[in-house]
Amino acid sequence: KDNNEVIKYGEKSANIFLTIGDSINYINILPFLSTAYFRIGNIDKAISLETIRKKYIAQHYGKEHEDYVHSLHNLGAYYSHKGEYLKSLELIIEEYELTKSSDVIISLAMAYMNLGIYNKAIESLNVIKENDINYLTSLLYLSLCYEGKEDWEYSYKLAHKALKEYKKRRISLNEEEMNDLIMVLIKAGEYKQ
């Protein structure tokens, strides 16, 4: 859990792998290093390492490889946190073309939302079905989309639908989902909820 230690030993390992010509283990250590750099706020270094990994995987294993998709996901998140939303969207669209999972759909919708393209985000989120594990998240993000479009009434309706779904499923929300739901309910004037 100590990112500085991860970086310290990860860099040592990476240098050894490069010195002995072990490119496979070098590439395998890069996601740990990029994540650690991201966590300490060095997003540029995280992007640099993940870009090296993405290129290597594409060249040696192909773009359909799961590690390539994972690399696209990481890069999309890194660019988003850096505020480069168009670059993030480009990477997430490529990820979506390779795997149409609901997790990627959520990322795609978030990328559109960051750019204020609410109709595309809504279109993406409406693909997620009620039996999907990300359905609750899709309701929360749909609510935020309609809030962004200043359709407060429908945003409020979706927030309540999400709350009802949460109670029905009796699942716990992660911190981000809970914050999203709270924000929507506050904006809808539902302070007691």
Side-chain angles (χ1 to χ4, degrees):
K1 294 187 178 185
D2 185 337
N3 292 305
N4 291 317
E5 290 291 303
V6 170
I7 291 168
K8 176 181 168 184
Y9 291 108
E11 291 284 354
K12 283 183 181 181
S13 298
N15 288 331
I16 291 169
F17 293 138
L18 281 176
T19 302
I20 64 172
D22 186 347
S23 58
I24 292 173
N25 279 316
Y26 171 71
I27 291 303
N28 287 337
I29 204 163
L30 292 184
F32 299 104
L33 277 172
S34 70
T35 300
Y37 275 112
F38 175 73
R39 287 183 180 152
I40 65 166
N42 191 341
I43 298 173
D44 289 330
K45 183 70 173 179
I47 288 171
S48 173
L49 293 171
E50 198 63 55
T51 300
I52 292 167
R53 178 175 179 244
K54 179 175 85 82
K55 287 178 183 175
Y56 180 90
I57 294 166
Q59 183 179 7
H60 291 87
Y61 302 110
K63 291 184 176 183
E64 293 77 27
H65 194 274
E66 66 182 285
D67 286 344
Y68 182 81
V69 173
H70 184 256
S71 201
L72 289 171
H73 181 80
N74 288 348
L75 283 167
Y78 297 162
Y79 277 107
S80 179
H81 281 278
K82 193 174 177 186
E84 294 186 29
Y85 300 126
L86 284 174
K87 182 66 177 172
S88 175
L89 177 61
E90 176 185 310
L91 290 159
I92 295 169
I93 287 172
E94 184 179 355
E95 180 187 7
Y96 177 73
E97 289 170 356
L98 294 169
T99 174
K100 305 229 185 309
S101 74
S102 62
D103 289 329
V104 178
I105 292 170
I106 296 292
S107 295
L108 183 61
M110 286 173 44
Y112 283 128
M113 289 167 63
N114 285 335
L115 290 165
I117 308 172
Y118 298 111
N119 288 337
K120 290 292 278 183
I122 291 167
E123 182 182 317
S124 300
L125 292 166
N126 280 329
V127 171
I128 298 175
K129 304 294 182 208
E130 193 171 333
N131 63 345
D132 192 290
I133 192 163
N134 284 313
Y135 180 66
L136 180 58
T137 303
S138 74
L139 289 175
L140 292 171
Y141 287 172
L142 279 167
S143 178
L144 293 171
C145 286
Y146 282 99
E147 177 188 316
K149 292 177 63 152
E150 298 183 5
D151 185 342
W152 310 111
E153 187 176 327
Y154 198 61
S155 174
Y156 170 78
K157 181 179 177 182
L158 287 166
H160 276 281
K161 186 174 181 178
L163 188 60
K164 183 179 176 183
E165 187 69 24
Y166 162 70
K167 289 177 181 176
K168 181 174 108 180
R169 294 181 182 205
R170 297 180 188 254
I171 59 173
S172 60
L173 300 176
N174 68 36
E175 187 176 335
E176 185 178 331
E177 292 168 333
M178 185 61 77
N179 288 338
D180 291 342
L181 181 57
I182 289 169
M183 185 171 66
V184 169
L185 290 172
I186 287 171
K187 291 187 179 199
E190 286 294 316
Y191 304 113
K192 287 183 181 179
Q193 281 282 355

